[in-house]
Amino acid sequence: MRVGWAVLGAVVSVVAMGCGEPAEAPRHAVEVFADGSGLGPVETDLGYQVTLEWVEVWIDTVEFTVGGEEHGSATARWLGRLLPRAHAHPGHASGGEVAGELRGPVLARFAAGDRESLGEGEFLEGEYMGFNLIFGADETAVRMGGVVDVDGAEVEFEGSVELFPSARVGGGAIQGVVPTEGAVMIRVEPFDEWEGKTLFDGISFGALPAEDGVLQIRPGTSAGAQLVNAVLAHEFYSGAF
């Protein structure tokens, strides 16, 4: 995708030519944050009350895109009848050209009620419609924790996810014009309002093993597989300028 970034820059430069003089496309360095404001309590499809308190993600690259196909398009709605993962989400798009980028690797920590700088991204001017999250090469690329109500008792839980190298989420929800001043927020969202699904659907917390009183969602288990599928779904990520 970094080739696409270079190509797009060249195209914008050509389009921006004046009277025979090439003009470099304006680029802006904008700070990108891991924003924990999206974390909080959810009720899963199995009736568990889960409060996600923190998430740690090893990020190799965040690509911000212009153009692309909106998830809410007629084509996406038609595909949604055939493919369960092709959800029709409004307000963001996949498959666009990369026009902004934050390069890692960086460990992003999302904590409820907090935000943490991931560094400065470089952006071409334009209206952005989506972002792609490329995970780092670390075996345990995603960790998370919080509390869950199990039979009336509040119990801590932790989850860890192992992903294949360069695993990615495509088409995260973000829309707007990159600010020349300000910041870009990236969020983990445990609840998908459009489909009414949560990050923890299908996980039976009451059947999880415990370690020092903390329930464990471990790689290589049924619960772990459920969490991998959710972690790779664009529905559970959003952003804002």
Side-chain angles (χ1 to χ4, degrees), residues 42-63:
V42 296
E43 182 176 349
T44 75
D45 62 337
L46 299 181
Y48 289 99
Q49 301 290 331
V50 183
T51 301
L52 184 60
E53 297 178 336
W54 60 271
V55 180
E56 289 183 348
V57 182
W58 273 107
I59 295 175
D60 179 79
T61 311
V62 185
E63 299 172 335

Side-chain angles (χ1 to χ4, degrees), residues 36 40-41 54 61 76 91 115 126 130 143 155 160-161 168 188 191 206 233:
W54 60 271
T61 311
R115 68 180 190 179
R143 296 179 62 248
V155 185
S160 58
V161 172
R168 61 189 287 131
V188 176
F191 181 65

Side-chain angles (χ1 to χ4, degrees), residues 155-158 160 208-218:
V155 185
E156 290 185 50
F157 76 91
E158 291 184 355
S160 58
L208 293 177
E211 184 176 313
D212 297 328
V214 180
L215 300 178
Q216 301 290 320
I217 304 174
R218 295 171 174 163

Side-chain angles (χ1 to χ4, degrees), residues 53-137:
E53 297 178 336
W54 60 271
V55 180
E56 289 183 348
V57 182
W58 273 107
I59 295 175
D60 179 79
T61 311
V62 185
E63 299 172 335
F64 298 88
T65 60
V66 297
E69 180 181 347
E70 291 190 37
H71 288 280
S73 68
T75 301
R77 289 194 296 270
W78 177 77
L79 286 172
R81 300 188 185 102
L82 303 177
L83 304 174
R85 290 289 297 280
H87 302 306
H89 278 238
H92 60 127
S94 62
E97 290 286 350
V98 176
E101 190 174 60
L102 170 74
R103 295 189 183 185
V106 61
L107 177 62
R109 181 175 174 86
F110 301 83
D114 197 8
R115 68 180 190 179
E116 178 180 290
S117 176
L118 303 179
E120 285 191 339
E122 187 176 73
F123 296 81
L124 292 174
E125 288 186 356
E127 184 168 357
Y128 288 79
M129 289 292 294
F131 68 91
N132 307 318
L133 179 62
I134 303 171
F135 295 98

Side-chain angles (χ1 to χ4, degrees), residues 142-198:
V142 183
R143 296 179 62 248
M144 64 185 68
V147 295
V148 57
D149 185 295
V150 180
D151 298 328
E154 191 174 83
V155 185
E156 290 185 50
F157 76 91
E158 291 184 355
S160 58
V161 172
E162 293 180 357
L163 300 171
F164 56 87
S166 300
R168 61 189 287 131
V169 173
I174 193 170
Q175 187 171 18
V177 177
V178 63
T180 56
E181 297 181 2
V184 180
M185 304 296 166
I186 299 296
R187 304 185 182 113
V188 176
E189 304 275 0
F191 181 65
D192 171 22
E193 294 184 0
W194 186 254
E195 293 286 345
K197 296 181 178 180
T198 81

